[in-house]
Amino acid sequence: MSAGTHRVAILVYDGVTLLDVAGPAEVFREANRFGADYGIVLLSPTGADVTTNLGVRVAADGALPPAPAVDTLLVAGSDRFPRSRVPADLADAVRAPAAAACRVASICTGAFVLAAAGLLDGKRATTHWKVAHELAARYPTSRVEPDAIYVRDGTTYTSAGVTAGIDLALALVEEDHGPDVARDVARALVVYMQRAGGQSQFSAPLQGPPPRSPALRTITDLVTANPRGDHSLGELAKHLNVSTRHLTRLFHDELSTTPARYVENIRFDLARALLDQGHSATQAATLAGFPSYESMRRVFARKLSISPAAYQRRFSTTRRSGAG
């Protein structure tokens, strides 16, 4: 590597997710074709080769900590986290090179490694939407943002699911070389330079647990069974013969939301499913119980930063008609 080379080290270990490694590496390699000078090395805690989640053996270029220090340290994730604790030796191996690097980043569940090393204490962070709640529970000093594609807090970066590592790598290239180079890389790889919306556009509907209170479960079951019904606050309160204030408090205490927002979320999830099935946006709005298409469009804009039509184009079938 030349004196001006930006050294990027990607931490690999047994069970590492291969795409967490290959995606960002490909972004930096492609950036070199457009004038960047990134030197990419794969480092394992001991310098030994590793076996990825797919069973593919990957040769390590060296051990942690690297000499000389790297400019960017990327910590790839593994589907072992958070099902199991991050091994102490893996967390220990990250601390010294992270302290010496100009910036540190994690891909997907690599955030658990950073957190185990104490590198996310007091910082904003994200990870895959499926395990964001576990990251927040296990490391309460970190402020987890479950809908973010990636988060920057000072010189620490964390990203969401595996392909979000590509988004993060593009952002780092833009930080180093400007938007034109990042745009050229995105075009060459046929990916979005900046993805619209957050992780919620990819997540499954209503991941939270059902309410503990039988009374509140009666209401949530009612809304879920018939999203098109009259679910105003007053009508819902009548079903339980309680005051609107009491029902609002139940929703707040158990679900951390309001009755109106819960109804909206149910209708939003149903509308997404209907759009995925090929219904028009107008049909989806009616069948999901929205008062109008416009009201549904406002919800999509607020939650996903895209319109229902744009959502349908992006996430409908990849099959092309006319193939014979």
Side-chain angles (χ1 to χ4, degrees), residues 11 13 75-78 81 86-87 90-95 106 108-120 135 139:
L11 172 62
Y13 47 89
V75 178
S78 169
F81 313 131
V86 175
L90 182 57
D92 291 342
V94 170
R95 293 190 185 97
S106 65
C108 196
T109 56
F112 283 83
V113 180
L114 293 187
L119 299 174
L120 297 184
L135 182 67
Y139 304 101

Side-chain angles (χ1 to χ4, degrees), residues 23-24 32 53 88 96 111 150 198 212 220 222 247 268 288 296 318:
N32 287 344
N53 64 318
Y150 64 85
R212 299 183 303 275
T220 58
L222 174 71
L247 182 61
F268 169 70
M296 183 179 79
T318 57

